Amino acid sequence: MLLESLREEVLDANLELVRRGLVLYTFGNVSGISRPDGLIAIKPSGVAYESMKAQDIVISDLDGRVVEGTLRPSSDLATHVELYKRFPGAGGVAHTHSEFATAWAQARRPIPCFGTTHADYFHGPVPVTPDLTPEEISGDYEKNTGLAICRLFDTLGTGDTQAVLVAGHAPFCWGQSASDASRTAVILESVARMAYYTLGIAEEAGPISRALHDKHYLRKHGKNAYYGQVQSK
Amino acid sequence: MLLESLREEVLDANLELVRRGLVLYTFGNVSGISRPDGLIAIKPSGVAYESMKAQDIVISDLDGRVVEGTLRPSSDLATHVELYKRFPGAGGVAHTHSEFATAWAQARRPIPCFGTTHADYFHGPVPVTPDLTPEEISGDYEKNTGLAICRLFDTLGTGDTQAVLVAGHAPFCWGQSASDASRTAVILESVARMAYYTLGIAEEAGPISRALHDKHYLRKHGKNAYYGQVQSK
Amino acid sequence: MLLESLREEVLDANLELVRRGLVLYTFGNVSGISRPDGLIAIKPSGVAYESMKAQDIVISDLDGRVVEGTLRPSSDLATHVELYKRFPGAGGVAHTHSEFATAWAQARRPIPCFGTTHADYFHGPVPVTPDLTPEEISGDYEKNTGLAICRLFDTLGTGDTQAVLVAGHAPFCWGQSASDASRTAVILESVARMAYYTLGIAEEAGPISRALHDKHYLRKHGKNAYYGQVQSK
Amino acid sequence: MLLESLREEVLDANLELVRRGLVLYTFGNVSGISRPDGLIAIKPSGVAYESMKAQDIVISDLDGRVVEGTLRPSSDLATHVELYKRFPGAGGVAHTHSEFATAWAQARRPIPCFGTTHADYFHGPVPVTPDLTPEEISGDYEKNTGLAICRLFDTLGTGDTQAVLVAGHAPFCWGQSASDASRTAVILESVARMAYYTLGIAEEAGPISRALHDKHYLRKHGKNAYYGQVQSK
């Protein structure tokens, strides 16, 4: 029953990527997790969004072993698994090749916080991983991608920014649910676009002040938030 | 009765931002004012456009106190209030994070008047505020944002350009009604896009002549206007 | 009867600009001419495309005097008139503020022929007029805009390129009919976009060879054309 | 019977270009081949996509002679023919003037492999042909375009990258079927867009490592592929 509704939410969170123009053909994948039983629901590999149904969503455990479903899970499952292990608050993970966020990942530049739209959602620049080594690539590649993200966040010492750019690859986002992770991916793309345009207007543009960054992030997050109708303090 | 139709117009002016692709999710907000009784109708905070109804539009007075409606008003209400106080001709205010206008705000560069499309609607460059101070940010932030805009227009000595870029944040636009303010936001975004492309083609591009700027602005505005069907001289 | 069908075609040619995303609100205007009786059918000034009907299309003579219709014609009518006088083969004229073509006009740079898409439709760079003088602006502005275009084509010595950029303003296009003029405006925008991107990839990019330019232009135009199903040699 | 279904597939592969926004008006053309009888089904020249029917698709032999159909084939047929002769695995060819891929062709720069999206589909940079000579242009132009592509691939020594940029012109793509060729054209455009944005963020951006490139290409292609549901090893 619970898995049934998780599958439905994960399907819808995947379709949100289509509705928002973030994915082409079978690109991208979103998963959600049921924390009590440690089960992950994820998009099947290489299946067209148009024909995807809730029962096509694959269920795996936290070791990436399929426990329900007849299709193969997204080939990026092992990356999702590492993110779920590292971030206990993550209820969903979204991976896309959305074009502007991917361009920043390809340029290997963190997205600076140029404005309050960024600050509303990400509490710092959106960081970029180092390149994977040839050994990490030839080994358990997708798992190693996840581990590289985790090491990066260990170094940065914060989990507040729920998005990362994998160098030469594309973004991964997470959030408290699959829907939330998808929405973060959509907003990241808009933020990446605006940061790109900002550079085009003023190559030397700098980030907003820490004071303004905190103000915007904290009016939407945490115990003093005052944006929206329902306060989840 | 009058508030009823104001709510309807404000709802539609908010939805215009969605139709024109200027807002994502709950981004942005438009308000309108009934000048005779000093009541402002504004979008509720953090509510999805898809499900918004006229009765969700919140009514406040010119001190920003809610006088009708069960939802909380947009967190930017205090900025709208300052603009209504400063510009007696303003019947509506629109705030978006539309991507190109926001990029100019993030780059902290006024949008130069590169052509007649700009001149048709804005009687000068679209100015950008100075950065807010840490005290303005930690204090009554949204009100201080409005005050910074007002001070800027005091300095510029003109109210003819009904749009402004808040540094590191995004644009605010106004007009004789909520619909007019929304339309200005849409046109500002197009003008911001064309100015961005212009820089990409000729980094050293300069503004059009004062003569051409005035010609275009005045064929659409004021007592000698001759554009359109109805002359409001 | 003939005017009836001209009005219908002109209405549809105007709506093509909406369908292709070339115009916002009341921006832009397309006209067509009935050469035998020298009557021009043109979009009314400042009327929304959504509600426009064939009977709203205004009929004027070649002096720009309205001879049929209750609405005022587009304020750019005088420019259209000059183009019809200068180019006897022109059956339609289209004016838009489409964003990329306008950006080239704002940058005051002719669009170089970077590739065969351009060569398929324009037999040379798309030229840009000089700035109008203050006297031309304060005088009969719209007529003087048309005269500036005509003088430019006198200098260039060719009427093969049915598009021009008015400096600091926007493009005008023409063709053998109103529909043809609209289509040219749509293709010009695509060509302007690709030329913009080309500069972004290779700032020093140069035009294609004269041989390739002629080959493409002439496989679509003139007595040796071999593109399409019907040969109008 | 077989030709009937080939025509249907070729029609749909052509329409895919419209659905994905890769073509304007009559731009572009897709063909498919029936290898057993050496017959090519191709879009007719200069026909609007909206009204195109399966019976409008023209059938030619491998010498480019029409063997079925009342319309004239795409003027680029001779280029398709050369590609079918050179690449025995090609079951379909797609030609578009999609704007970003065309911009790279106009800039005469190969598209570097900046990231894994590129690597997933193209096993190397997307190469660009040399300019055609005046003799190649004035001679059998479309056939010579095909021969220039073939010579380029002879030099590169690989057929793994099923896309090419013709200098100053636009891309040609191929694949195991007409649908596959269309899909490659769509993905090429996305890859071209992201490469363009990447340059805008980091002018000095370099390609991903050979190890990462091979990893991604080979997880989707060849005997060790593990992406998707059906393994065609």
Side-chain angles (χ1 to χ4, degrees), chain D residues 28 39 53 80 200 212:
Chain D
L39 293 180
K53 289 177 177 46
H80 292 233
L212 185 57

Side-chain angles (χ1 to χ4, degrees), chain A:
Chain A
M1 271 306 273
L2 203 127
L3 281 181
E4 199 59 39
S5 80
L6 181 63
R7 272 202 194 89
E8 290 285 356
E9 190 196 351
V10 166
L11 173 64
D12 187 65
N14 275 286
L15 294 181
E16 176 70 356
L17 302 182
V18 180
R19 286 191 293 264
R20 300 288 174 166
L22 262 72
V23 290
L24 265 182
Y25 297 114
T26 63
F27 290 24
N29 43 74
V30 184
S31 70
I33 190 167
S34 166
R35 284 286 176 187
D37 47 17
L39 293 181
I40 298 168
I42 192 165
K43 174 172 168 278
S45 182
V47 168
Y49 287 96
E50 298 74 40
S51 56
M52 208 182 291
K53 289 177 177 46
Q55 67 250 37
D56 296 335
I57 301 298
V58 184
I59 306 293
S60 91
D61 62 21
L62 268 165
D63 292 317
R65 274 185 299 247
V66 173
V67 298
E68 258 191 61
T70 54
L71 297 174
R72 297 167 66 184
S74 163
S75 53
D76 295 311
L77 170 59
T79 312
H80 292 233
V81 163
E82 294 310 317
L83 295 176
Y84 284 122
K85 288 195 207 158
R86 172 64 176 74
F87 302 111
V93 171
H95 170 55
T96 79
H97 288 204
S98 69
E99 296 181 344
F100 281 87
T102 299
W104 284 91
Q106 293 189 159
R108 292 171 177 74
R109 273 182 79 169
I111 306 178
C113 181
F114 283 138
T116 62
T117 326
H118 182 125
D120 281 337
Y121 293 94
F122 306 108
H123 205 185
V126 178
V128 53
T129 65
D131 284 333
L132 265 62
T133 63
E135 292 70 33
E136 288 172 317
I137 294 167
S138 65
D140 199 345
Y141 171 65
E142 290 82 7
K143 180 190 177 80
N144 290 335
T145 298
L147 291 174
I149 297 170
C150 296
R151 276 198 311 274
L152 176 69
F153 276 73
D154 291 342
T155 312
L156 298 174
T158 169
D160 267 12
T161 290
Q162 300 186 313
V164 69
L165 307 174
V166 176
H169 187 165
F172 281 83
C173 297
W174 51 101
Q176 49 192 32
S177 65
S179 316
D180 194 37
S182 270
R183 193 167 42 243
T184 302
V186 173
I187 290 168
L188 174 64
E189 181 64 3
S190 175
V191 163
R193 241 183 334 250
M194 292 196 285
Y196 174 85
Y197 301 146
T198 301
L199 280 189
I201 297 169
E203 210 180 336
E204 73 296 348
I208 57 174
S209 68
R210 193 70 239 169
L212 186 56
H213 198 148
D214 285 346
K215 174 71 189 176
H216 268 264
Y217 188 78
L218 300 172
R219 77 175 188 168
K220 289 214 172 187
H221 301 87
K223 69 177 170 40
N224 295 315
Y226 60 94
Y227 177 92
Q229 299 301 328
V230 180
Q231 300 302 309
S232 51
K233 296 185 183 185

Side-chain angles (χ1 to χ4, degrees), chain D residues 124-219:
Chain D
V126 178
V128 52
T129 65
D131 283 332
L132 266 62
T133 64
E135 292 69 33
E136 287 172 317
I137 293 168
S138 64
D140 198 345
Y141 171 64
E142 290 82 6
K143 179 190 176 81
N144 290 335
T145 298
L147 292 175
I149 297 170
C150 296
R151 276 198 311 274
L152 177 67
F153 276 73
D154 291 343
T155 311
L156 298 174
T158 168
D160 267 12
T161 292
Q162 299 186 313
V164 70
L165 307 174
V166 176
H169 187 163
F172 280 84
C173 297
W174 52 99
Q176 50 192 30
S177 65
S179 318
D180 193 37
S182 271
R183 193 167 42 242
T184 302
V186 173
I187 290 168
L188 174 64
E189 181 64 3
S190 176
V191 163
R193 239 182 338 248
M194 292 195 286
Y196 174 85
Y197 302 145
T198 301
L199 280 189
I201 298 168
E203 210 180 336
E204 73 297 346
I208 56 173
S209 69
R210 193 71 240 169
L212 185 57
H213 197 148
D214 286 344
K215 174 70 190 178
H216 268 263
Y217 189 78
L218 299 172
R219 80 177 185 167

Side-chain angles (χ1 to χ4, degrees), chain C residues 183-205:
Chain C
R183 193 168 42 242
T184 302
V186 173
I187 290 168
L188 173 64
E189 181 66 3
S190 176
V191 163
R193 239 183 337 248
M194 292 195 287
Y196 173 86
Y197 301 146
T198 301
L199 280 189
I201 298 168
E203 211 181 334
E204 73 296 348

